[in-house]
Amino acid sequence: MSTPGWQLAADAGLDFSLPQQLTVILLCALTAFISHMALAVFNDGVRPFMLDFIHGRTTRSATTAVSFGLSAGFIFGLGAPMALSSGVLNPWLLFLPTDILGLLAPKKWLAPLLGAGWGAVVVFGLNGANEVAHDLPVDFLTAMQQMSTPILFLFTLFPVLAITKQFGRAWGGAAGVLELALVVLTMKLWPDMFAGALAMAVGVLLLIGLAVRRDLAQRKADRADEAASGTAAQGPPEDDPMASLFSTSAARLRRYLPLFMVLGAGVCMLAQMHIFGGGEATSFLIAKGNISEAAQVDFYRFFGFIPLIATTALASGAYGIAGFTIVYPIGYLMPNPVLAAIAGAAVFAIEVMALSSIGKVLGKLPSVRDSSEHLRSAITDSLHLAILFGSLMAANAMGAGLGILVVGGLYLLNEAMGRPVVRMAAAPAAVIVGGVLLNVLYWLDLFTPVKG
């Protein structure tokens, strides 16, 4: 994790080639169109509201307002700062705005135009904003690169947190000791490898193994009880309204399978170009050139989102823009864009066709389903601490004690005001606001930037 190599990676990441620019613009146009059609949105919090919109029980403007309210903080507080500091695009910057623009557009033809316009703003405007920021006396973007180390290393602990929440302190403690030993071992024996890669692999496998063991034990106990009582398990009634809703939603999505295949191809191509990261840790790993480790990290995240995306898609009739997100790691590892497009299309075809079956399987594995909930919660908890700590490190790098006072104060003020900016995005947003304020103080001759 040498500083010079990191600096080059971050700076080079925002200078997009023509094929990269076209891919981003066309993909943003496509995602805005799909959002307008209410076929898919990226924001998991918006998806449950799509059912009423699809059935005409709420208006387009009301649904757009919900999407904007749930997405704006992530776009400006997390997506933009992460892209500027890492030099790698992310889904919050690309797909949350196209959710909003697609829903906002009153006409079908206008949605892709608005989406393409946003894509152009990103690919042509981001590099200019990056250059302007680096020329400021207080370079807060370079300071924000301090966030990479806490994000990468604290993210490693998310399996430990998930195991502790679901299976108790003993298993959590054992997982923590095991992960620490594996991190130390990796740093000693394989210094060129991301230190948390092996630890996360073992942690996620342990969590899944414990969940499957619990489910199998419960099913065995249930069968024993049934045999003892002479009764058979009752299946869901044929007129189950939820089963009917799930079936209708799955059929609706299957009707648009070709469009979803194009979407999968586009997302996978973007990931293959290595200008895009599916998560916070992934963005910094790609910026450092650790592509296989980035694929590994997003592969683990995939397990945490299967039940959420499957159940909300079946309940609402709207899928996820990135599907189950497995298309990210597949794209990172593809050798060229053509193979990435083919693989992405195939992955989305399989996902959409298998959606009903996945929902049924998850219904029979409650502990595995709960593990995914705990994984998502653990990822959020670990990243919240990492982003907050990294933001304070960035504040110290750009303004020492005054920087910490400003950034930490803005974060605490956001908490006291009831979090108008979502917690995950509040700290990076505070760094940008703090950086602007420190530059103003410099121009007023009230502040001297930290040297180095």
Side-chain angles (χ1 to χ4, degrees), residues 14 21 36 58 162 221:
L14 292 172
Q21 292 170 348
H36 175 87
T58 187

Side-chain angles (χ1 to χ4, degrees), residues 280-447:
E280 300 89 344
T282 315
S283 294
F284 287 111
L285 285 170
I286 289 175
K288 293 172 181 288
N290 297 336
I291 306 303
S292 59
E293 286 89 343
Q296 182 181 343
V297 167
D298 272 355
F299 179 71
Y300 300 145
R301 290 174 66 105
F302 153 74
F303 288 106
F305 285 89
I306 293 178
L308 173 68
I309 294 171
T311 54
T312 55
L314 289 170
S316 68
Y319 199 41
I321 287 294
F324 291 140
T325 71
I326 188 67
V327 71
Y328 293 158
I330 291 174
Y332 301 150
L333 299 176
M334 286 290 108
N336 60 66
V338 175
L339 288 178
I342 295 171
V347 167
F348 263 50
I350 293 170
E351 289 182 4
V352 172
M353 294 301 294
L355 201 54
S356 293
S357 299
I358 292 170
K360 293 176 182 177
V361 170
L362 290 173
K364 298 177 181 178
L365 297 172
S367 294
V368 173
R369 190 172 62 247
D370 290 345
S371 292
S372 294
E373 298 287 341
H374 288 299
L375 271 177
R376 283 202 318 279
S377 175
I379 288 171
T380 300
D381 290 344
S382 59
L383 285 175
H384 169 243
L385 177 61
I387 290 173
L388 175 59
F389 186 66
S391 297
L392 291 175
M393 290 174 63
N396 183 67
M398 68 184 183
L402 181 60
I404 292 175
L405 173 66
V406 171
V407 172
L410 288 171
Y411 178 86
L412 292 174
L413 182 62
N414 184 70
E415 291 284 307
M417 295 172 63
R419 297 177 195 154
V421 178
V422 291
R423 176 177 278 180
M424 187 77 78
V431 174
I432 291 181
V433 174
V436 172
L437 179 59
L438 290 176
N439 276 292
V440 171
L441 292 176
Y442 168 81
W443 289 322
L444 295 175
D445 200 22
L446 297 174
F447 171 72

